[in-house]
């Protein structure tokens, strides 16, 4: 029976059984949720139930994640119902994609999880069109003087770029692969190099924001962002750095990105070891009040497992065993009751806003799902 459980990495039998049982609970809940939720775009819950963020704010950066969960589960189970709802969500997003002026750099998060995933799994031509349109929007935000992708749209934020954008770069690598247009690849590489220089610190911690003069491209300063403040260490930003740099290595095979991912991972692991393997919302914040962010741990798990794909055999266990420790720590925050929406609670969007601090957040569920599927070799690459 045990031999039948396929693992991507070497693991003892207790861990194999643990993961297989975790997957069974996850699959059962996601299956019931799929029947109940249809094609909504969840963000967080209200009174224990998801609301449809697509109706309130179609351009929200988080609107692709549930679709990403559906495509992962379609790939893992081949159950048609996941695909049906995922396709509907992708179509619902067309209004935002066509208008496009209200979109920002997070088109990567939005369309990697929808149209790119669909195209990779089904070869749907319309999905390819959507994906390339989204990639063009992202490429159009590149500032050639400062070598950064502009994050947001407000006129006073023309020179702002953020660590999160590393996760949008795979959309450009996808577009390069489909078109052979090197412009996409050059932009992705230039932006990743900018992040190494201005966002990631030598000790593996990182700034959330870098501000440039949009006209000359000159670096001005770093700013605090969704973490505690200036020079702090926002844990989800740390997770974006781990995973984003590991992905930059996947698409370029330039060792400096893998080394950066490892440095950021070592910093992250040293910090979570101080808090029972759960990420604080910010690793450099006052001891009280103590806020955690489970989404940071979930995202970091996938980043650690991405690093594990590329390191020599004897180096893998650091990343695989650490990710398993994180999953076991996160289980305390998981709800597998099929009558309630969402799995992972205690996710935090930002330090200074209580409305979505320590609450269920959809990207926590996405990364948790991807992490479990990765370990069981049932995932496919959305990024
Ligand atoms: N990309 C925004 C965030 O991580 O909250």
């Amino acid at each position: 029976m045990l031999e039948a459980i396929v693992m991507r990495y070497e693991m003892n039998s207790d861990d194999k059984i643990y993961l297989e049982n975790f997957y069974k609970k996850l699959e059962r809940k996601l299956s019931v949720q799929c029947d109940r939720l249809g094609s909504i775009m969840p963000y967080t819950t209200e009174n224990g139930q998801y609301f449809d963020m697509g109706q309130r704010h179609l351009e929200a950066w988080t609107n692709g994640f549930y679709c990403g969960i559906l495509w992962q589960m379609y790939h893992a189970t081949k159950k048609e119902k996941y695909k049906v709802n995922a396709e509907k969500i992708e179509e619902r997003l067309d209004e935002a994609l066509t208008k496009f002026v209200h979109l920002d750099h997070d088109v990567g998060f939005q369309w990697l999880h929808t149209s790119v995933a669909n195209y990779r799994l089904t070869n749907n031509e319309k999905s390819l069109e959507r994906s390339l349109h989204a990639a063009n929007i992202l490429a159009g935000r590149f500032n050639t003087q400062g070598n950064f992708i502009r994050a947001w749209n407000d006129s006073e934020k023309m020179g702002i770029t953020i660590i999160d954008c590393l996760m949008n770069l795979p959309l450009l690598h996808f577009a390069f692969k489909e078109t052979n247009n090197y412009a996409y690849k050059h932009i992705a590489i230039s932006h990743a190099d900018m992040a190494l220089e201005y966002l990631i610190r030598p000790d593996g911690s990182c700034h959330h924001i870098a501000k440039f003069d949009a006209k000359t491209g000159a670096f001005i300063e770093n700013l605090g962002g969704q973490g505690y403040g200036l020079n702090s260490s926002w844990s989800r930003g740390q997770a974006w750095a781990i995973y984003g740099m590991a992905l930059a290595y996947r698409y370029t095979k330039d060792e400096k990105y893998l080394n950066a991912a490892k440095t950021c991972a070592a910093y992250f692991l040293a910090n979570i070891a101080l808090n029972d393997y759960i990420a604080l919302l910010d690793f450099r914040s006052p001891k009280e009040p103590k806020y955690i962010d489970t989404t940071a741990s979930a995202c970091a798990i996938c980043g650690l497992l991405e690093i594990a794909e590329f390191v020599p055999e004897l180096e893998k266990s650091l990343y695989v065993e650490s990710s398993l420790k994180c999953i076991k720590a996160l289980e305390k925050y998981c709800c597998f009751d099929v009558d309630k929406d969402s799995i992972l609670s205690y996710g935090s969007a930002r330090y200074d806003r209580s409305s979505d601090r320590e609450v269920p957040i959809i990207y926590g569920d996405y990364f948790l799902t991807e992490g479990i599927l990765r370990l069981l070799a049932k995932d496919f690459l959305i990024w």
Side-chain angles (χ1 to χ4, degrees), residues 220-265:
I220 300 174
E221 60 183 340
N222 290 111
L223 300 171
Q226 283 162 246
Y228 176 66
L230 183 63
N231 296 324
S232 75
S233 174
W234 173 50
S235 61
R236 196 167 56 260
Q238 298 296 155
W240 295 145
I242 300 170
Y243 202 176
M245 280 294 155
L247 289 165
Y249 177 76
R250 170 182 286 274
Y251 289 110
T252 62
K253 296 293 179 287
D254 187 332
E255 289 283 331
K256 71 183 173 197
Y257 301 129
L258 187 59
N259 287 331
K262 287 183 192 180
T263 309
C264 294

Side-chain angles (χ1 to χ4, degrees), residues 17 25-26 42 52 54 67 70 74 126-127 161 211 218 241 255 273 296 301 335 346 350 352 363 372:
I17 292 167
K25 290 185 276 184
L26 189 82
D52 184 7
C67 200
L70 295 174
Y74 171 68
K126 177 77 188 152
S127 297
T161 193
K211 182 177 176 184
E255 289 283 331
I301 287 165
C335 166
Y346 278 77
R350 52 185 302 138
D352 60 5
Y363 44 83
I372 296 291

Side-chain angles (χ1 to χ4, degrees), residues 64-104:
F65 284 108
Y66 182 56
C67 200
I69 294 175
L70 295 174
W71 282 120
Q72 289 286 6
M73 294 312 292
Y74 171 68
H75 174 263
T77 66
K78 306 292 174 276
K79 286 187 186 155
E80 201 63 17
K81 64 181 184 178
Y82 293 116
K83 176 169 175 272
V84 169
N85 283 341
E87 285 173 340
K88 285 186 191 152
I89 293 174
E90 183 180 329
E91 279 167 26
R92 285 188 65 199
L93 283 172
D94 275 351
E95 196 187 323
L97 189 62
T98 313
K99 268 194 204 153
F100 85 86
V101 285
H102 301 299
L103 297 170
D104 59 28

Side-chain angles (χ1 to χ4, degrees), residues 4-244:
I5 304 175
V6 179
M7 292 285 151
R8 177 160 281 141
Y9 306 103
E10 230 174 80
M11 216 168 271
N12 68 42
S13 54
D14 284 352
D15 286 340
K16 283 187 187 179
I17 292 167
Y18 173 81
L19 281 170
E20 188 64 14
N21 285 337
F22 200 114
Y23 173 70
K24 280 187 192 141
K25 290 185 276 184
L26 189 82
E27 208 259 309
R28 185 163 165 264
K29 173 124 182 190
L30 290 174
S31 172
V32 176
Q33 270 193 180
C34 180
D35 298 336
R36 183 170 63 231
L37 299 177
S39 58
I40 73 163
M41 302 177 198
Y43 171 58
T44 186
T45 55
E46 279 174 353
N47 304 318
Q49 293 205 300
Y50 281 137
F51 60 88
D52 184 7
M53 186 57 117
Q55 278 186 1
R56 296 188 190 180
H57 181 205
L58 191 63
E59 284 85 6
W61 76 276
T62 52
N63 279 348
F65 284 108
Y66 182 56
C67 200
I69 294 175
L70 295 174
W71 282 120
Q72 289 286 6
M73 294 312 292
Y74 171 68
H75 174 263
T77 66
K78 306 292 174 276
K79 286 187 186 155
E80 201 63 17
K81 64 181 184 178
Y82 293 116
K83 176 169 175 272
V84 169
N85 283 341
E87 285 173 340
K88 285 186 191 152
I89 293 174
E90 183 180 329
E91 279 167 26
R92 285 188 65 199
L93 283 172
D94 275 351
E95 196 187 323
L97 189 62
T98 313
K99 268 194 204 153
F100 85 86
V101 285
H102 301 299
L103 297 170
D104 59 28
H105 71 147
D106 282 332
V107 287
F109 284 110
Q110 291 153 308
W111 277 278
L112 283 164
H113 285 248
T114 53
S115 58
V116 173
N118 189 353
Y119 177 68
R120 282 180 175 149
L121 291 176
T122 73
N123 263 323
N124 180 336
E125 277 298 313
K126 177 77 188 152
S127 297
L128 176 61
E129 273 173 32
R130 290 175 176 123
S131 307
L132 294 179
H133 183 35
N136 285 342
I137 294 170
L138 186 58
R141 304 183 71 84
F142 184 64
N143 183 308
T144 53
Q145 299 303 297
N147 286 317
F148 65 88
I149 292 174
R150 174 187 180 185
W152 299 309
N153 296 343
D154 326 46
S155 54
E156 77 278 11
K157 290 182 180 163
M158 270 194 283
I160 296 280
T161 193
I162 63 176
I163 193 74
D164 324 29
C165 193
L166 290 174
M167 297 299 290
N168 291 317
L169 302 183
L171 181 62
L172 299 175
H173 291 293
F174 169 84
F176 167 68
K177 182 166 174 281
E178 294 302 321
T179 63
N180 279 322
N181 178 353
Y182 270 92
Y184 296 116
K185 199 168 192 65
H186 292 322
I187 292 173
I189 289 174
S190 298
H191 182 92
D193 288 346
M194 177 284 305
L196 282 181
E197 189 168 354
Y198 296 108
L199 288 168
I200 298 182
R201 306 180 190 119
D203 69 350
S205 69
C206 52
H207 296 282
H208 186 186
I209 299 178
K211 182 177 176 184
F212 294 83
D213 181 320
K215 194 166 168 193
T216 66
F219 173 73
I220 300 174
E221 60 183 340
N222 290 111
L223 300 171
Q226 283 162 246
Y228 176 66
L230 183 63
N231 296 324
S232 75
S233 174
W234 173 50
S235 61
R236 196 167 56 260
Q238 298 296 155
W240 295 145
I242 300 170
Y243 202 176

